[in-house]
Amino acid sequence: MDIPEGFPDMPIPEDNQLTEDRVALGKQLFYDMRLSRQSDVSCASCHLQERAFADQNILSIGTQERVGFRNVPSLANIGYHPYLFREGGGISLETQVLGPLEAEDEMDFNMVEAVERLSQFPDYQEQAQTAYGRPFSAFVLSRALAAFQRTLISGNSAFDQDQRGELALSEAAARGLQLFTSEKTNCQNCHDGFDFSNYAFENNGLYEQYNDTGRSRVTFQDSDIGKFKVPSLRNVALTPPYMHDGSLSDLESVIEHYNTGGKAHVNKSSLIRPLGLSDDEKSDLIEFLKSLSDNCFISNPDFAIE
Ligand code: HEC
Ligand code: HEC
């Protein structure tokens, strides 16, 4: 795997070390519609490479056009996330696959039947033997999908090229970066590090009343209402609309949200407060966010199926 400069080593489980065969099998599965009961939806139906493995719907749309309850997140650098899903309810890529597979508004299938169905294909049996030395099974299915997803690394945006001294950011984007890291905005307090996320759970003041209560769905604590995993901002310009429910349609609306300081909520982070940004400062911030788009990532043939 090509780990970009400045990225840490990725934690990979002992029993699922990456090999080319495992990743190839995982890619095959990621694009296979037969993983849904009606064979009408694959992982890639919602996680599109040209959208950095997110999509552009407000809420996800699954089998038979069923509308889900959250906006589809990007899978770029997903192998680094310490927990999965917007409220952190998923513990590993290996176990996460049960989520979409069984959700009625996503693939509406189950592991037993999915394995039964795919086991009938000699290609999958052969690939399972080569990759994991055993017949096609839930073990193979979940591990191969995890292996493929760990290769989805994005670290070659204009921002990265600037950091490596290969290409300078535009002046507007450079000013935006300054603002992003300044105490005037506090953006970097949460969107920090190589992936522009500290992976903490925060309430950024989207609502006074949350229909989707976020982290508290897992912890049952009132103090976690309205808290969501801080999303990575890599490729963010490619993945509108924004937030857990897709309620903000573009980057302009996001910057406006932060500039006003958001809605009042007891759990809102004290870092979210009116910023007093000028129009020029707002557009500089947006130019900086656009510099996080990684064209190599979204056009890398290794992640696509012929
Ligand atoms: C119907 C659309 C849809 C399909 C099909 C789908 N997903 Fe997702 N995926 C989502 C949504 C929506 C979320 C966010 C769910 C949440 O946070 O509760 C998500 C979240 C994830 C996450 C966690 C991302 C994060 O930031 O924590 C991973 C990993 C993932 N999906 C992988 C897959 C895989 C692998 C498949 C195929 C087996 C798949 N998805 C199929 C819509 C979909
Ligand atoms: C207190 C922590 C915190 C601070 C400070 C913060 N954010 Fe966020 N940001 C979040 C959280 C949490 C979300 C996701 C909320 C949700 O899913 O509803 C988010 C979402 C976003 C999104 C949408 C990403 C997506 O894929 O949906 C963008 C863009 C963004 N923030 C940019 C910024 C900018 C620019 C600043 C500074 C002006 C900033 N953030 C300051 C925590 C923070």
Side-chain angles (χ1 to χ4, degrees), residues 74-96:
S74 163
L75 300 183
N77 303 326
I78 192 69
Y80 288 103
H81 288 220
Y83 23 68
L84 301 167
F85 300 126
R86 294 180 178 276
E87 80 298 303
I91 53 167
S92 74
L93 285 172
E94 276 75 8
T95 53
Q96 174 278 338

Side-chain angles (χ1 to χ4, degrees), residues 169-193:
L169 282 180
S170 74
E171 282 177 22
R175 286 193 302 268
L177 170 59
Q178 283 284 321
L179 262 175
F180 186 87
T181 54
S182 72
E183 279 174 22
K184 177 159 189 182
T185 65
N186 289 326
C187 306
Q188 202 186 25
N189 282 62
C190 295
H191 299 283
D192 189 24

Side-chain angles (χ1 to χ4, degrees), residues 15 25 28 30 116 134 171 198 217 219 229 242 269:
D15 70 352
L25 174 54
Q28 201 83 27
F30 192 85
E116 242 172 52
R134 57 171 84 197
E171 282 177 22
N198 58 7
R217 293 163 62 97
T219 63
K229 181 168 68 177
Y242 300 108
S269 161

Side-chain angles (χ1 to χ4, degrees), residues 9-289:
D9 285 339
M10 187 182 288
I12 296 179
E14 272 306 310
D15 70 352
N16 200 18
Q17 294 296 305
L18 294 187
T19 67
E20 276 178 29
D21 293 323
R22 292 173 177 183
V23 172
L25 174 54
K27 177 164 91 170
Q28 201 83 27
L29 290 162
F30 192 85
Y31 284 93
D32 196 332
M33 302 244 192
R34 294 171 301 197
L35 270 184
S36 57
R37 183 181 301 281
Q38 304 288 343
S39 296
D40 59 347
V41 167
S42 71
C43 308
S45 306
C46 296
H47 299 285
L48 285 77
Q49 183 179 13
E50 71 262 30
R51 295 289 154 202
F53 294 95
D55 70 5
Q56 289 203 297
N57 297 313
I58 296 178
L59 298 173
S60 67
I61 299 178
T63 181
Q64 299 176 305
E65 309 286 307
R66 290 181 197 159
V67 179
F69 88 118
R70 282 185 178 158
N71 176 261
V72 180
S74 163
L75 300 183
N77 303 326
I78 192 69
Y80 288 103
H81 288 220
Y83 23 68
L84 301 167
F85 300 126
R86 294 180 178 276
E87 80 298 303
I91 53 167
S92 74
L93 285 172
E94 276 75 8
T95 53
Q96 174 278 338
V97 55
L98 273 177
L101 202 61
E102 301 201 343
E104 278 177 26
D105 53 16
E106 297 193 5
M107 302 175 120
D108 189 27
F109 211 20
N110 62 66
M111 189 57 99
V112 176
E113 287 179 273
V115 168
E116 242 172 52
R117 181 188 281 176
L118 296 186
S119 294
Q120 294 164 13
F121 297 93
D123 279 5
Y124 273 139
Q125 288 297 0
E126 213 173 286
Q127 279 178 285
Q129 282 296 348
T130 334
Y132 290 98
R134 57 171 84 197
F136 194 84
S137 61
F139 179 97
V140 170
L141 171 72
S142 56
R143 277 168 184 74
L145 273 168
F148 169 62
Q149 292 180 87
R150 290 196 176 96
T151 67
L152 302 178
I153 294 181
S154 173
N156 199 12
S157 62
F159 165 81
D160 299 294
Q161 291 167 11
D162 176 86
Q163 296 285 301
R164 297 195 297 259
E166 296 163 10
L167 188 122
L169 282 180
S170 74
E171 282 177 22
R175 286 193 302 268
L177 170 59
Q178 283 284 321
L179 262 175
F180 186 87
T181 54
S182 72
E183 279 174 22
K184 177 159 189 182
T185 65
N186 289 326
C187 306
Q188 202 186 25
N189 282 62
C190 295
H191 299 283
D192 189 24
F194 75 101
D195 203 23
F196 296 89
S197 172
N198 58 7
Y199 305 121
F201 298 101
E202 294 285 357
N203 178 316
N204 70 345
L206 211 51
Y207 296 112
E208 278 169 26
Q209 286 262 321
Y210 282 82
N211 291 331
D212 179 347
T213 57
R215 182 68 182 156
S216 76
R217 293 163 62 97
V218 177
T219 63
F220 303 102
Q221 300 286 320
D222 284 351
S223 55
D224 284 332
I225 291 177
K227 291 190 181 170
F228 292 88
K229 181 168 68 177
V230 173
S232 167
L233 298 182
R234 287 191 170 274
N235 302 295
V236 71
L238 302 171
T239 68
Y242 300 108
M243 306 300 168
H244 65 278
D245 57 356
S247 56
L248 299 183
S249 58
D250 49 29
L251 288 175
E252 284 74 12
S253 323
V254 173
I255 299 301
E256 208 45 58
H257 161 75
Y258 283 114
N259 195 41
T260 61
K263 305 268 168 42
H265 193 286
V266 281
N267 296 335
K268 184 172 79 172
S269 161
S270 59
L271 296 168
I272 309 289
R273 37 140 185 85
L275 304 178
L277 298 172
S278 70
D279 286 349
D280 284 347
E281 287 175 320
K282 290 180 200 168
S283 75
D284 288 346
L285 268 175
I286 291 174
E287 285 311 306
F288 163 65
L289 292 175

Side-chain angles (χ1 to χ4, degrees), residues 27 31 49 53 148 152 298-306:
K27 177 164 91 170
Y31 284 93
Q49 183 179 13
F53 294 95
F148 169 62
L152 302 178
I298 62 170
S299 59
N300 187 340
D302 290 348
F303 306 148
I305 210 113
E306 296 80 50

